[in-house]
Amino acid sequence: MAAAGVLSPSLAQAANFVKKSYGKVKLVDASGAPIKASAVPTDQALVFHYPLASTPAFLINLGESVAGEKVNAEDGKNYDWEGGVGPKKAVVAYSAICSHVYAHPEKNMSMIAYDPKSTATSGQAKCIVCCVHGSVYDATKGAKVLHGPAPHPLASIVLEHDASDDSLYATEMIGSSAIHDMFAAYKMDLIKEYGAANLNKQVTGSVKTIPLSEFSKSVITC
Ligand code: FES
């Protein structure tokens, strides 16, 4: 699991909207080898944790170049989503905490997943779908909400690509983080999953990045 550093009470207690660097963290696989942007699979998301050891995020290869654009967050706040990075400008990352009532990948099961194909719920390809109440986020457009009760997009995790070795780093979170609300709703479950010592710990150095199908025993799609 990730190296975890200094407690960040300001993050866990902050209002949902954030635009801040929480340090440059290298994405590595289960063996500790750097994740290569050109090798990120296109059939499912990978899961890593950023900015905290208990806050999951999705790394997604959309398979095609995606340009950045303006995204509307909650409370009328707007931000510039950077679009894809990597050799094809196709790799993106988002918080995996649903903005509705904060479903997120758990080790036993995930009700939220990226699907490269159109489904009955999403109606279009390349969406992140939360099957708890049917919220659908467009992974090609900054995780904007397409359908369902989600009130705002998933927060974006800003990525940096090192072209010299094709490695990837998480550097920043922008958007409505939902971290405070997830902690309020799931604190005891998160402590069981990650341990109390990891709940508020900021990730530093490197972070393990693995397929959602390995992180969660069961992945629900709809
Ligand atoms: S928690 Fe995701 S749609 Fe309700």
Side-chain angles (χ1 to χ4, degrees):
M1 189 57 190
V6 180
L7 181 69
S8 179
S10 60
L11 177 60
Q13 295 165 6
N16 274 336
F17 186 83
V18 297
K19 184 179 188 307
K20 184 174 174 183
S21 173
Y22 296 98
K24 183 172 172 177
V25 175
K26 189 168 198 165
L27 306 189
V28 299
D29 67 15
S31 69
I35 295 285
K36 305 286 187 184
S38 56
V40 177
T42 56
D43 62 335
Q44 67 169 309
L46 305 185
V47 174
F48 65 101
H49 290 76
Y50 188 90
L52 302 180
S54 60
T55 55
F58 288 139
L59 181 73
I60 296 168
N61 183 353
L62 296 164
E64 62 181 351
S65 172
V66 284
E69 57 182 273
K70 286 257 185 246
V71 175
N72 299 317
E74 60 186 327
D75 301 332
K77 295 186 174 74
N78 298 326
Y79 57 96
D80 292 317
W81 176 65
E82 66 170 359
V85 303
K88 288 187 177 174
K89 304 288 184 207
V91 178
V92 298
Y94 301 107
S95 168
I97 305 168
C98 181
S99 69
H100 180 219
V101 285
Y102 324 117
H104 54 276
E106 298 175 42
K107 290 174 187 171
N108 199 43
M109 182 172 70
S110 183
M111 295 285 286
I112 183 168
Y114 168 71
D115 200 321
K117 301 185 297 300
S118 178
T119 70
T121 302
S122 67
Q124 77 173 55
K126 301 182 182 180
C127 291
I128 296 166
V129 182
C130 180
C131 295
V132 179
H133 307 100
S135 289
V136 179
Y137 305 89
D138 187 341
T140 71
K141 298 200 181 303
K144 288 179 180 174
V145 179
L146 289 173
H147 314 294
H152 49 74
L154 300 175
S156 175
I157 307 295
V158 177
L159 297 172
E160 186 177 310
H161 177 242
D162 185 339
S164 70
D165 63 0
D166 202 25
S167 59
L168 289 165
Y169 297 81
T171 64
E172 190 174 346
M173 177 178 245
I174 303 178
S176 304
S177 80
I179 290 174
H180 175 78
D181 292 320
M182 181 180 75
F183 279 11
Y186 287 93
K187 186 169 183 183
M188 294 316 296
D189 293 329
L190 290 165
I191 288 173
K192 271 190 212 158
E193 289 254 319
Y194 297 101
N198 285 321
L199 189 66
N200 286 328
K201 279 191 175 170
Q202 202 166 314
V203 174
T204 60
S206 64
V207 63
K208 191 160 79 171
T209 305
I210 62 174
L212 176 61
S213 59
E214 291 178 20
F215 180 78
S216 298
K217 281 186 198 151
S218 174
V219 177
I220 307 300
T221 56
C222 55

